[in-house]
């Protein structure tokens, strides 16, 4: 993909991969330009979402971004805090995060997933006004939906390795499967 093609994807919207009553609705910060250009969530080659999803046991094999619709068969989905695409998350304003959090809360109330998993604790803090939030399960819930803050799977997040991210995603998976059903 050329730089011009990526730049042309700026501000595009990427459709959610959602259904009612999911086990886990994963939530990215916002679509990157590669995601917007392809229409596939977490599409940038350096993003570790898909490898971590498999390594943590959520999927039986590593899915490609183009296979994102298969997540629904596993009771999983994907959305974003902020809908518009940008090259970097730091291009987003706090106001966009807060408005995104409001819209996300409405979406979660409508879809009723068991868990909302926000992949990016800083985005979660701003979107939901919880400056003290840490990685892991949160006290806040949206209706009956529990919330888990996950590390951002971006390749730029060097504080978390593939292994430590898979461990944290695995903690969520254990909780998601412990609260009923297979």
């Amino acid at each position: 993909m050329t730089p011009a093609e990526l730049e042309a994807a700026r501000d595009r919207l990427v459709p959610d991969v959602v259904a009612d009553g999911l086990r886990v609705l994963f939530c990215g910060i916002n679509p990157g330009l590669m995601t917007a250009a392809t229409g596939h969530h977490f599409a940038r080659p350096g993003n570790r979402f898909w490898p971590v999803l498999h390594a943590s046991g959520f999927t039986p094999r590593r899915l490609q971004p183009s296979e994102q619709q298969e997540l629904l068969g596993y009771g999983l989905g994907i959305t974003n805090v902020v809908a518009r695409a940008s090259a970097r998350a730091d291009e987003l304003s706090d106001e966009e995060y807060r408005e995104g959090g409001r819209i996300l809360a409405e979406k979660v109330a409508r879809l009723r997933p068991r868990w909302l998993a926000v992949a990016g604790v800083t985005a979660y803090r701003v979107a939901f006004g919880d400056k003290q939030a840490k990685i892991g399960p949160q006290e806040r819930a949206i209706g009956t939906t529990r919330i888990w803050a996950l590390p951002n799977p971006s390749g730029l997040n060097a504080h978390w390795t593939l292994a430590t991210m898979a461990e944290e995603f695995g903690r969520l998976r254990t909780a998601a499967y412990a609260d009923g059903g297979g």
Side-chain angles (χ1 to χ4, degrees):
M1 189 146 313
T2 69
E5 289 171 317
L6 288 175
E7 192 53 39
R10 185 177 294 278
D11 298 326
R12 272 193 204 154
L13 302 180
V14 178
D16 291 338
V17 177
V18 297
D20 287 341
L22 295 169
R23 185 175 302 277
V24 180
L25 177 58
F26 290 95
C27 181
I29 297 171
N30 77 309
L33 297 183
M34 182 71 75
T35 288
T38 63
H40 303 130
H41 292 272
F42 300 104
R44 188 176 183 86
N47 193 292
R48 298 171 290 179
F49 177 79
W50 298 102
V52 166
L53 206 61
H54 171 61
S56 63
F58 273 109
T59 60
R61 65 178 178 83
R62 180 177 167 179
L63 298 175
Q64 296 302 312
S66 61
E67 298 175 298
Q68 65 188 12
Q69 291 298 325
E70 290 187 32
L71 290 175
L72 297 175
Y74 302 119
L76 308 173
I78 304 176
T79 189
N80 287 288
V81 174
V82 175
R84 80 170 179 94
S86 67
R88 296 180 323 276
D90 65 6
E91 295 176 27
L92 306 175
S93 69
D94 285 359
E95 188 174 300
E96 284 179 285
Y97 279 113
R98 287 188 293 272
E99 177 65 6
R102 187 189 65 71
I103 293 167
L104 179 60
E106 290 173 359
K107 187 180 301 183
V108 166
R110 187 178 73 251
L111 295 171
R112 298 177 329 277
R114 289 188 186 140
W115 286 90
L116 171 66
V118 181
V121 69
T122 302
Y124 173 79
R125 288 175 184 147
V126 178
F128 289 96
D130 185 352
K131 291 178 175 40
Q132 304 307 313
K134 298 199 178 346
I135 296 292
Q138 305 302 304
E139 291 297 319
R140 172 191 304 257
I142 300 171
T144 59
T145 300
R146 301 274 323 271
I147 302 172
W148 197 292
L150 291 168
N152 181 345
S154 165
L156 300 175
N157 184 3
H159 297 296
W160 288 81
T161 66
L162 188 70
T164 57
M165 267 196 283
E167 187 177 313
E168 187 60 32
F169 275 61
R171 288 181 56 220
L172 168 60
R173 184 185 179 282
T174 298
Y177 283 83
D179 66 7

